[in-house]
């Protein structure tokens, strides 16, 4: 992971940009600023940033459209910057290829954690097929799951759910994405399936299933496998 | 089209019939051959046993004829008092239908179905009262004699030579759910009569002499038995059909009866009805209108005949064609008719005999495989001879005088000139005058003029003068030719004129309709449509008109279009309401409430009734058939236009709503963006400074930064609360219900509020067996956060805060309790109100938090309440609806 990653901030509010700049520069990131969608897309093409922070409410075009345009030619991780009460927009953005989200007002530590997770995801494929987080160890090649060094037996569905989480470690994944990938139900509302299998994974893999640390719930949006 | 199985249409029809029947009351008819057989008695007996079974039975109208046995039965059943109607200073008693409807019994007894109501009643006939009762879902028992059935009245008159005036359409018999034949032998009936059990004293003797003869009774009995048997037969066939039992299916026959202006048409229609009934065939009555104008009395007769046919269940077709035979056969083929019924040509009508006979021959010749039945019709009404009618139809005496004097005047002028121009030229000039007369006068005066001019010419001009004697053979020929030419010209011209008149009338109607359609299509609002309709009806029918539309609750409201001077008093308005509620025409010249001043037509579209048209004609005569058709088209055109405007208005309203919605969303988004951005900047910057481990920041500075951060968070909370409140108040909250573990939700809340609850003792009770819940995560999270924050705000540091969750198959309850000072009892009910704050409470709250909680919980269809605990503390209890969980996956 390069220490001086480039981060493109697309936000029309100069105050927010300044705040992000302050935060990120003091953590050794390089900042590129764009004040609207068109400029953002241009800069993304010319500067190849490592992460893009994208505000959903832009003056010239919808942040969602910027995301869709970007996704046509690039896989650069995108973190959505949004306000509370727009969970539907966030879910749509995540399902359209955004990697993560952040609600305003945001906490500095939260922001840095999201950026780190996104950067890690981008370079994850290059590292070993064995994923580790806390006491959890998953070998995607040999399909071996260990907790506290001990082998854990999972059902087929549990394993496919876990591997989906591992492939997207640190990133929030939506209910509909999970339903589509694991159950093949892209337009379904059957969130109870997801809920039940998350509960089972927690029971098998968490120290205290009632206070999960690995598999956390993101309010109204989905779940996240934390990298500890 | 002989089908061996019921086809889809028939099945649909049957289902529809059943649907209609479901909501309607049931009709049971006690049917007998004559008075005195014991129908009323049988009806009362059955009603009595229903009453004993606990059915709510009332007597609507019973005639006991002072028969003891009957009166004994009546005593037990509650009676609805009859309505007293004053007519010509005579007090008449009728069934009080309003009182019955108000009482709403489940069964009403109504005697003598064929009775004609006194003028001033709602309906002309009692059977119409009964139909209304049935429509309102009330069951009815009633009685009727066979001679009162419309199709039998003619036969009965033939047999008994008593003309029956009170009749009911046969359709009411068909629509009855049950018919019970009350039958005794004629001998027994006569015995009963003689014993005075039917009529008292002298009345009885008279009755026996006039009506109750054994021959009459036997004939009537046969009729009643046969009718009942026919019905039973039909029921059996229907049943077999319904149950798909193979058997002799509906014959597939269709009968067409040709209706003319002849007074025997009515008889022909009755005949057609009984034929179609016995053959179980459907039937059509056709009337072909030619350009030949009919006198008003004939028009009225046609209308009456068609009304009768409609009442007896025929399908009515009217067509316009010069060639009657061609039109009949064309319709017959289109409608798959198997038999055509026509009346036998009337020998006494010399002129029409020729054409009528030709019609019959042509029907037979050109009818192909369609059977043609020629029915002999008895003459019921003495018809004025055609010549007399012909003469009378157009003219008054003055016109005869005028034409005769014109001829006389011309002759007078010609007389001195005849010397010079010759008497043959005189004939030509006279002929010219006669030929011109039809342009101004009707056929009668012209014929008179033609005849008198011939005579004048003969008498005054042909030598030898002043005699009717004609000397020369050529003069005699000339005279004969003159006479013929004058007559033929006058007849032909009259006919052309009449035809022209008819064409003009038709054109006038077409133009009127066109004008209305044109005006209506350019109307741009409901008001416009109403005004246009009122104006056009006034123009064409010389009638005042007003339109009433229904409001959203389905009630009629009283609106008057501009230009309508018609005002309804409450009594008239109630007639309009009846027409609206029942979807039938009412008022003057109709069978319902004919004493009203106006006529009322419901305004309908294929989907619903949305108003009533009231029309008051300035002349007192009922409309002619073509006028009525035209009025019907007018009203339906207006109906379509009004519906169009109503739909238009609805779509406009929807568009407006959509626009305002868009505006609201934009405003809301802009506002929230503008408020949140600076707050985010403040909090974010303070946060950044706080996290910085730079020794340049002193402890003092750090405190100040912390203050900025806290204030920023507080401001943020206020803004979020205000925005939530706005969302709630706009009703724009859409639930996004999904399944969650309540534990996840509670954990997240505690994590988010970790700063606030520091120093408090948090106890969480969520049993292992807790079922997942289907909620809007974000809303419930916000609600619980607000309650928890509230608890923190109003209890001292170190207090206990307890979260209990119960989620099982019976209930889903979340409660948050603390052991703080509690809420003053008098404030308990107000704490969920907007901006309400308990007196002397700590600063920091907005008074919005709890009302938002309540709003969010209620949008989940849940409830929330607060109670004080003993010894101290407050408990908030939230109850949310539970959803059926699909357990298949759970158990897997």
């Amino acid at each position: 992971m390069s220490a001086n990653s480039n981060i493109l901030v697309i936000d029309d509010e100069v105050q927010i940009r300044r705040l992000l700049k302050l935060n990120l520069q003091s953590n050794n990131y390089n900042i590129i600023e764009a004040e609207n969608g068109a400029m953002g897309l241009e800069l993304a093409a010319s500067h190849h940033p490592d992460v893009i922070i994208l505000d959903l409410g832009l003056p010239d075009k919808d942040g969602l459209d910027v995301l869709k345009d970007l996704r046509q030619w690039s896989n650069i991780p995108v973190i959505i910057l949004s306000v509370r009460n727009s969970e539907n927009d966030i879910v749509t953005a995540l399902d359209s290829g955004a990697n993560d989200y952040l609600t305003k007002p945001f906490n500095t530590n939260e922001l840095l954690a999201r950026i780190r997770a996104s950067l890690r995801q981008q370079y994850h494929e290059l590292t070993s097929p064995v994923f580790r987080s806390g006491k959890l160890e998953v070998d995607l090649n040999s399909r071996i799951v260990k907790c506290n060094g001990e082998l854990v037996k999972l059902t087929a569905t549990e394993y496919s759910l876990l591997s989906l989480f591992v492939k997207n470690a640190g990133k929030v994944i939506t209910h509909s994405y999970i339903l589509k990938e694991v159950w093949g139900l892209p337009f379904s509302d059957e969130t109870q399936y997801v809920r039940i299998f998350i509960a089972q994974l927690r029971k098998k893999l968490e120290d205290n299933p009632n206070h999960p640390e690995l598999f956390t719930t993101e309010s109204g949006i989905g779940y996240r496998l934390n990298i500890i | 089209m002989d089908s061996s199985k019921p086809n889809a249409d028939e099945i649909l029809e049957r289902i529809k019939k059943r649907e209609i029947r479901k909501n309607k009351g049931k009709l049971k008819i006690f049917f007998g051959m004559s008075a005195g057989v014991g129908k009323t008695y049988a009806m009362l007996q059955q009603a009595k046993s229903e009453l004993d079974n606990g059915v709510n039975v009332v007597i609507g109208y019973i005639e006991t004829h002072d028969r003891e046995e009957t009166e004994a039965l009546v005593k037990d059943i509650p009676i609805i008092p009859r309505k007293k109607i004053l007519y010509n200073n005579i007090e008449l008693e009728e069934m009080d239908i309003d009182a019955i409807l108000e009482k709403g019994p489940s069964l009403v007894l109504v005697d003598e179905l064929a009775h004609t109501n006194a003028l001033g009643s709602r309906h002309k006939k009692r059977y119409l009262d009964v139909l209304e009762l049935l429509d309102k879902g009330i069951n009815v028992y009633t009685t009727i004699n066979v001679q009162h059935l419309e199709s039998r009245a003619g036969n009965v008159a033939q047999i008994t030579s008593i003309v029956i005036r009170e009749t009911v359409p046969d359709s009411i018999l068909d629509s009855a759910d049950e018919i019970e034949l009350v039958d005794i032998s004629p001998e027994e009936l006569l015995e009963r009569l003689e014993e005075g059990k039917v009529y008292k004293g002298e009345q009885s003797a008279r009755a026996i002499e006039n009506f109750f003869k054994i021959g009459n009774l036997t004939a009537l009995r046969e009729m009643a038995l046969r009718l009942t048997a026919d019905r039973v037969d039909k029921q059996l066939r229907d049943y077999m059909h319904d149950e798909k039992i193979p058997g002799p299916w509906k014959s597939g026959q269709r009968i067409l009866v040709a209706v003319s202006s002849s007074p025997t048409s009515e008889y022909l229609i009755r005949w057609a009805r009984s034929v179609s009934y016995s053959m179980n065939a459907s039937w059509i009555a056709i009337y072909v209108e030619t350009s030949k104008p009919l006198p008003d009395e004939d028009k009225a007769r046609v209308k009456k005949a068609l009304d009768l046919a409609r009442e007896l269940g025929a399908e009515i077709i009217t067509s316009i064609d010069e060639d009657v035979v061609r039109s009949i056969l064309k319709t017959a083929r289109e409608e798959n008719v198997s038999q055509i019924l026509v009346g036998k040509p009337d020998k006494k009508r010399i002129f029409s005999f020729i054409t009528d006979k030709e019609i019959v021959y042509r029907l037979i010749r050109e009818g192909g495989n369609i059977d043609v039945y020629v029915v002999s019709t008895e003459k019921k009404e003495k018809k004025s001879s055609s010549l007399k009618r012909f003469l009378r139809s157009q003219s008054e005496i003055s016109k005869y005088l005028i034409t005769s004097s014109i001829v006389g005047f011309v002759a007078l002028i010609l007389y001195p000139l005849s010397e010079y121009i010759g008497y043959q030229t005189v004939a030509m000039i006279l002929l010219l005058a006669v030929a011109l007369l039809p342009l101004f006068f009707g056929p009668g005066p012209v014929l008179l003029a033609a005849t008198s001019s011939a005579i004048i010419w003969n008498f005054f001009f042909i030598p030898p003068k002043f005699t009717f004697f004609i000397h020369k053979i050529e003069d005699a020929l000339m005279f004969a030719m003159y006479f013929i030419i004058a007559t033929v010209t006058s007849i032909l011209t009259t006919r052309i004129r009449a035809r022209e008149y008819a064409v003009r009338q038709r054109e006038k109607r077409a133009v009127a309709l066109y004008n209305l359609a044109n005006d209506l299509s350019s109307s741009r609002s409901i008001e416009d449509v109403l005004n246009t309709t009122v104006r056009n009806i006034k123009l064409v029918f010389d009638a005042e008109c007003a339109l009433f539309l229904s409001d959203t609750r389905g009630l009629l409201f009283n609106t008057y279009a501009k230009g309508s001077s018609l005002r309804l008093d409450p009594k008239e308005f109630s007639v309009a309401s009846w027409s609206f509620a029942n979807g039938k025409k009412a008022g003057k010249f109709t069978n319902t409430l004919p004493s009203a001043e106006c006529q009322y037509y419901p305004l309908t579209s294929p989907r619903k009734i949305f108003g009533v048209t009231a029309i008051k004609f300035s002349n007192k005569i009922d409309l002619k058939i073509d006028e009525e058709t035209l009025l019907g088209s007018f009203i339906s055109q207006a109906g379509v236009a009004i519906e169009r405007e109503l739909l238009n208005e609805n779509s406009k309203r929807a568009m407006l709503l959509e626009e305002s919605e868009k505006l609201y969303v934009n405003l809301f988004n802009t506002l929230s963006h503008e408020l949140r951005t600076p707050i985010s900047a403040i909090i974010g910057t303070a946060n950044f400074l706080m996290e910085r481990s730079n020794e340049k920041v002193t402890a003092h500075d750090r405190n100040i930064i912390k203050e900025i951060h806290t204030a920023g968070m507080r401001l943020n909370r206020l803004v979020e609360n205000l925005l939530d409140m706005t969302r709630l108040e706009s009703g724009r909250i859409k639930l996004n219900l999904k399944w969650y573990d309540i534990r996840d939700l509670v954990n997240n809340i505690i994590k988010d509020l970790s700063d606030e609850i520091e120093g408090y003792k948090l106890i969480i009770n969520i049993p292992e067996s807790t079922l997942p819940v289907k909620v809007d995560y974000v809303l419930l999270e916000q609600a619980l956060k607000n309650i928890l924050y509230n608890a923190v705000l109003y209890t001292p540091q170190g207090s206990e805060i307890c979260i209990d969750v119960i989620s099982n198959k019976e209930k889903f309850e979340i409660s948050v309790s603390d052991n703080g000072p509690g809420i003053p009892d008098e404030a308990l009910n107000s704490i969920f109100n907007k901006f309400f704050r308990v007196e002397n409470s700590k600063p920091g709250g907005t008074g919005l938090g709890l009302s938002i909680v309540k709003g969010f919980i209620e949008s989940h269809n849940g409830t929330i309440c607060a109670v004080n605990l003993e010894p101290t503390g407050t408990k908030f209890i939230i109850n949310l609806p539970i959803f059926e969980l699909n357990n298949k996956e759970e158990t897997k």
Side-chain angles (χ1 to χ4, degrees), chain A residues 11-16 19 22-24 26-27 55 57 83-85 87-88 91 104-109 157 175-176 183 188-193 195-200 202-203 209-212 215-223, chain B residues 668 672-674 676-688 691-692 713 716 720-721 723-724 727 736-741 743-745 747-748 750-751 764 766 768 771-773 777-779 781-782 785 856 885-886 889-890 892:
Chain A
D11 196 320
D12 60 322
E13 290 292 339
V14 66
Q15 283 185 325
I16 301 291
L19 175 65
L22 206 64
N23 263 314
L24 297 175
S26 67
N27 283 288
D55 185 21
V83 291
R84 198 176 69 81
N85 284 340
E87 284 71 23
N88 285 337
V91 170
K104 294 181 202 170
F106 50 85
N107 182 289
T108 311
N109 290 334
T157 314
H175 293 120
S176 60
W183 281 274
S188 163
D189 248 354
E190 311 283 323
T191 48
Q192 75 265 34
Y193 293 174
R195 188 201 58 74
I196 290 159
F197 282 91
I198 296 277
Q200 282 168 4
R202 281 173 178 166
K203 214 175 274 175
N210 290 343
H211 291 277
F215 303 95
T216 49
T217 307
E218 293 288 318
S219 54
I221 290 163
Y223 297 94
Chain B
F668 186 84
S672 67
H673 184 242
E674 289 306 307
R676 277 162 165 160
T677 302
I679 292 173
S680 296
I682 294 168
I683 295 173
T685 320
N687 193 256
F688 169 73
E691 299 291 329
R692 221 153 71 136
M713 288 305 271
N716 185 46
E720 294 300 339
N721 273 344
L723 291 174
D724 281 341
R727 256 181 1 131
N736 179 17
L737 294 178
K738 285 194 174 131
W739 290 101
Y740 291 100
D741 273 323
R743 205 183 300 276
D744 274 359
L745 195 134
N747 284 340
N748 273 4
I750 293 165
K751 207 167 78 192
I764 297 165
I766 306 177
E768 254 337 287
L771 290 179
V773 292
Y777 190 99
V778 179
L779 293 191
E781 186 186 43
Q782 190 59 34
K785 263 188 193 172
F856 283 177
L885 183 68
N886 183 0
E889 284 293 318
E890 190 83 49
K892 201 161 89 184

Side-chain angles (χ1 to χ4, degrees), chain B residues 297-312:
Chain B
E297 97 188 70
D298 280 3
K299 275 187 192 166
R301 215 178 281 118
V302 169
K303 190 182 166 195
K304 204 173 151 204
L306 290 178
D307 281 349
L308 176 72
R310 194 176 291 123
E311 220 156 76
L312 293 177

Side-chain angles (χ1 to χ4, degrees), chain B residues 242-460:
Chain B
D242 284 0
E243 301 297 316
K244 300 198 183 70
I245 300 168
W249 291 122
K250 189 164 176 162
S251 56
Q253 303 268 35
R254 256 164 107 76
I255 293 167
L256 182 134
V257 55
V259 177
S260 72
S261 64
S262 154
T264 57
S265 278
E266 255 179 62
Y267 180 84
L268 189 65
I269 284 165
R270 293 220 163 90
W271 209 86
R273 199 259 169 196
S274 53
V275 169
S276 74
Y277 192 84
S278 64
M279 281 172 61
N280 196 14
S282 55
W283 62 297
I284 304 166
I286 186 171
Y287 172 66
V288 183
E289 195 184 334
T290 60
S291 61
K292 195 175 136 196
L294 287 178
D296 288 350
E297 97 188 70
D298 280 3
K299 275 187 192 166
R301 215 178 281 118
V302 169
K303 190 182 166 195
K304 204 173 151 204
L306 290 178
D307 281 349
L308 176 72
R310 194 176 291 123
E311 220 156 76
L312 293 177
E315 188 186 330
I316 308 296
I317 295 176
T318 53
S319 69
I320 299 175
D321 201 322
E322 285 307 305
D323 188 342
V324 177
V325 173
R326 186 178 61 197
S327 185
I328 290 176
L329 287 174
K330 187 165 161 262
T331 312
R333 294 213 172 89
E334 278 169 3
E335 299 287 330
N336 268 329
V337 163
S338 52
Q339 297 177 12
I340 296 175
L341 297 190
V342 286
K344 196 170 177 180
D346 187 350
K347 278 182 195 146
K348 285 172 193 149
R349 294 174 67 193
I350 300 161
F351 290 126
S352 55
F353 176 60
I354 302 163
T355 49
D356 284 0
K357 206 165 145 191
E358 199 194 281
I359 286 177
V360 173
Y361 285 143
R362 275 190 60 203
L363 275 177
I364 294 167
R365 207 167 50 234
E366 296 168 24
N369 57 356
I370 302 174
D371 301 342
V372 178
Y373 288 81
V374 183
V375 180
S376 78
T377 51
E378 74 286 47
K379 207 157 166 74
K380 282 184 80 181
E381 180 191 332
K382 188 138 172 65
K383 217 182 149 184
S384 48
S385 85
S386 13
L387 184 69
K388 225 158 88 195
R389 274 193 323 128
F390 185 57
L391 295 180
R392 202 189 51 203
S393 57
Q394 274 207 30
S395 357
E396 295 101 48
I397 296 167
S398 63
K399 286 188 179 160
Y400 287 93
L401 285 177
I402 293 168
T403 48
S404 316
S405 40
I406 287 173
V407 172
F409 181 68
V410 173
L412 205 66
I413 294 172
L414 289 174
Y415 186 69
L417 297 174
S418 63
E419 296 293 328
Y420 312 103
I421 56 177
Y423 64 89
Q424 271 148 345
T425 318
V426 169
M428 298 311 281
I429 295 170
L430 276 174
L431 198 59
L432 178 70
V434 171
L436 288 176
L437 280 176
L439 294 180
F440 310 98
F441 298 98
V446 172
L447 262 183
L448 180 70
T451 319
S452 55
S453 68
I455 293 165
I456 288 170
W457 183 54
N458 183 357
F459 194 74
F460 291 103

Side-chain angles (χ1 to χ4, degrees), chain B residues 835-849:
Chain B
F835 300 115
F836 177 85
R837 299 205 63 205
V838 177
E839 272 176 53
N840 303 323
S841 52
K842 267 197 282 183
T846 56
L848 280 176

